[in-house]
Amino acid sequence: MSSLIQEPSFPIVEIFESLQGEGANTGMPSIFVRFGKCNLACPWCDTPYNEFQSWTLSQILAKVRSFSAKNVIITGGEPTLHPKIVLLLEILKQDGYFLAIETNGLKDVPPQIDYIATSPKAMYANKYQRRCISKANEVRIVMDAQAKEFCEFIEQKIQADYYFLSPCEIDGKMNLHETIALLGQLNSRIHKPKWLLSIQTHKLIGIE
């Protein structure tokens, strides 16, 4: 990078290598690049997205390249808040990485992304009524009080290959019974998308 151009920096919570723990790619060896900051504030969120440090582009690339996996998951917080992320993605793409993103779906996804996993939040349904992405590879919705109506709404808003419902974990307890009961209701409908159960398996086996 030219010394005449200031190198961009990004708010990074952590970068680590592990196995994808949820969704359609569960078990895939992946490098997680977790960005700080978020445009939502879900009360049950388990990510310390405000506990970040400033990393330069070179520092991020060096860390990613130190791992063996070739699947990079851009996550957060909300990574789409950072417009200069396209500079990072372009270089990772040139390096041959498969690029996935985990996003709440309220902002456009950079074109370099190969796989979109979006997690719309029912408690912010009014935001999704105004604007959200229209396509994703998978949708993951956390089970809460408004989940059924929100799942049916998101089916119409976001076209996806997979639709997942995940239990909500509060104080170490997951509402699994309510989650699978709702899955039964959703999947008893005729000519509607099928919904699958997604559990954060990385927590069950004690990995990041």
Side-chain angles (χ1 to χ4, degrees):
M1 182 172 295
S2 171
S3 59
L4 299 177
I5 301 175
Q6 184 176 3
E7 186 175 12
S9 60
F10 303 88
I12 298 295
V13 176
E14 58 184 346
I15 301 176
F16 62 95
E17 186 176 31
S18 187
L19 302 177
Q20 171 61 279
E22 57 188 319
N25 294 320
T26 295
M28 181 181 291
S30 303
I31 302 163
F32 293 80
V33 181
R34 188 179 304 284
F35 283 77
K37 302 183 181 180
C38 190
N39 52 351
L40 300 180
C42 303
W44 36 260
C45 181
D46 59 359
T47 300
Y49 54 82
N50 283 324
E51 300 176 10
F52 56 81
Q53 295 181 333
S54 181
W55 288 51
T56 66
L57 177 60
S58 296
Q59 288 174 323
I60 296 172
L61 290 169
K63 186 68 172 180
V64 170
R65 290 165 175 165
S66 72
F67 299 118
S68 61
K70 297 301 289 183
N71 179 54
V72 174
I73 298 177
I74 305 296
T75 186
E78 179 48 52
T80 62
L81 294 178
H82 312 292
K84 291 184 179 179
I85 196 174
V86 296
L87 301 175
L88 169 65
L89 298 177
E90 286 174 357
I91 296 174
L92 292 176
K93 199 73 173 175
Q94 293 169 7
D95 284 356
Y97 289 98
F98 183 85
L99 303 180
I101 195 169
E102 297 181 336
T103 173
N104 58 38
L106 289 172
K107 296 177 67 66
D108 293 336
V109 171
Q112 296 87 356
I113 294 296
D114 300 300
Y115 192 94
I116 302 172
T118 183
S119 300
K121 306 302 190 293
M123 66 183 301
Y124 292 101
N126 61 321
K127 293 182 180 290
Y128 292 91
Q129 290 170 353
R130 292 195 297 269
R131 185 181 186 277
C132 67
I133 62 175
S134 60
K135 292 184 178 181
N137 297 95
E138 64 182 71
V139 167
R140 304 178 198 154
I141 291 181
V142 174
M143 170 67 187
D144 65 13
Q146 301 87 26
K148 184 175 188 297
E149 294 77 12
F150 190 64
C151 287
E152 293 173 334
F153 165 71
I154 288 297
E155 288 175 347
Q156 304 301 315
K157 293 284 288 187
I158 304 178
Q159 179 184 346
D161 300 317
Y162 304 97
Y163 293 89
F164 290 99
L165 191 63
S166 301
C168 183
E169 182 179 350
I170 299 178
D171 296 329
K173 295 182 179 180
M174 293 189 293
N175 56 351
L176 274 169
H177 186 279
E178 295 87 348
T179 302
I180 63 173
L182 178 53
L183 278 174
Q185 295 177 42
L186 292 169
N187 290 330
S188 66
R189 302 170 303 159
I190 299 175
H191 305 308
K192 296 290 184 179
K194 292 296 182 182
W195 286 75
L196 304 169
L197 176 66
S198 180
I199 297 177
Q200 293 180 310
T201 58
H202 50 285
K203 292 184 178 180
L204 296 180
I205 62 176
I207 62 173
E208 281 192 274

